[in-house]
Amino acid sequence: ELQFWSGQGNVKYVKTIDIELANHWRSEAWKNNNTQQQQGPENGVFAPPHLFGELAKTDEGVALLAKGKYIQMFLQDITAESASTVSQKAAIFALAQIGRSSCGWRLLEKHSVLTTLRMLTEQSASLSLRGIAFTALGMLCANEVARTSLVSVGWLSPLSGPLALPHVHIAVPSILTKSTFFRLPDDQFEFSCHNFPMKEHP
């Protein structure tokens, strides 16, 4: 089972999430003002259980992950130049699932995973990887120790308001004006505006 999840299982998991997100944010959803009312208050994407996340909840599971050197393997998948985007996303998701529990977080700390995720979030040339790394930082906020550790890499998690726990798990740069998270790479982007007619302003 571990051998399957460390390869195909992780990739299949993140592809499933991607499909669910694509369906959730499909353009048709924006054409009907009553979509949210029709779907109800549970509108959203459900993330199914993840094997590595479940293992990380117990000392025995963490020992198994450490023995198999899975953290190092995932970090290598993230940084390898030959790795596909989906493999990188799968590795990021696996690390975030592991770090959601206190036992798993102690394992991630030994390998500076938080620093790696923060660098991906702010510096990756791939906007897709930035997005999944941002999601991973938010997932880690489910763990109080990990949430506190965000300060060391210049990020914070709201303690009050509508974006605070337990309603939302989210992390944001502590100083928005200095963070590169919102800065696009130096590439040329073309935007499709055919569905949004531009109005001339005086």
Side-chain angles (χ1 to χ4, degrees):
E1 192 73 13
L2 274 171
Q3 184 177 2
F4 169 77
W5 268 86
S6 62
Q8 299 179 30
N10 270 337
V11 171
K12 184 177 180 180
Y13 184 94
V14 80
K15 283 184 176 181
T16 300
I17 297 295
D18 280 345
I19 292 173
E20 291 296 324
L21 285 171
N23 290 334
H24 179 68
W25 294 109
R26 66 189 186 279
S27 59
E28 288 81 1
W30 300 95
K31 296 178 181 179
N32 188 347
N33 293 330
N34 296 321
T35 298
Q36 185 171 359
Q37 288 79 0
Q38 291 175 355
Q39 292 179 342
E42 296 182 358
N43 180 28
V45 174
F46 170 73
H50 192 288
L51 178 63
F52 288 102
E54 296 303 309
L55 285 174
K57 294 178 180 179
T58 67
D59 291 332
E60 293 81 2
V62 168
L64 193 62
L65 295 176
K67 182 179 180 180
K69 297 184 178 181
Y70 289 100
I71 305 303
Q72 296 94 313
M73 182 186 68
F74 293 142
L75 289 173
Q76 185 176 358
D77 288 343
I78 292 172
T79 57
E81 294 183 1
S82 59
S84 64
T85 299
V86 68
S87 295
Q88 291 175 305
K89 291 169 68 176
I92 293 170
F93 226 107
L95 290 172
Q97 290 282 2
I98 292 171
R100 284 171 59 87
S101 62
S102 57
C103 294
W105 170 249
R106 289 194 295 269
L107 186 58
L108 296 193
E109 277 190 305
K110 297 178 181 180
H111 300 280
S112 303
V113 170
L114 185 59
T115 299
T116 300
L117 292 177
R118 191 270 303 170
M119 291 179 63
L120 279 172
T121 304
E122 296 190 338
Q123 301 176 17
S124 176
S126 168
L127 297 184
S128 178
L129 288 184
R130 282 198 190 195
I132 198 68
F134 172 71
T135 301
L137 289 178
M139 292 171 64
L140 292 177
C141 293
N143 181 343
E144 184 177 355
V145 179
R147 191 166 66 248
T148 303
S149 299
L150 283 170
V151 177
S152 66
V153 295
W155 282 62
L156 299 170
S157 183
L159 295 178
S160 61
L163 294 182
L165 295 172
H167 309 291
V168 179
H169 293 162
I170 188 171
V172 295
S174 55
I175 304 178
L176 293 177
T177 55
K178 293 185 178 181
S179 174
T180 58
F181 174 55
F182 298 103
R183 299 177 189 172
L184 294 177
D186 294 329
D187 292 315
Q188 297 295 322
F189 292 91
E190 294 184 4
F191 297 93
S192 175
C193 300
H194 62 276
N195 289 330
F196 302 93
M198 302 297 291
K199 295 182 179 179
E200 294 185 1
H201 296 278

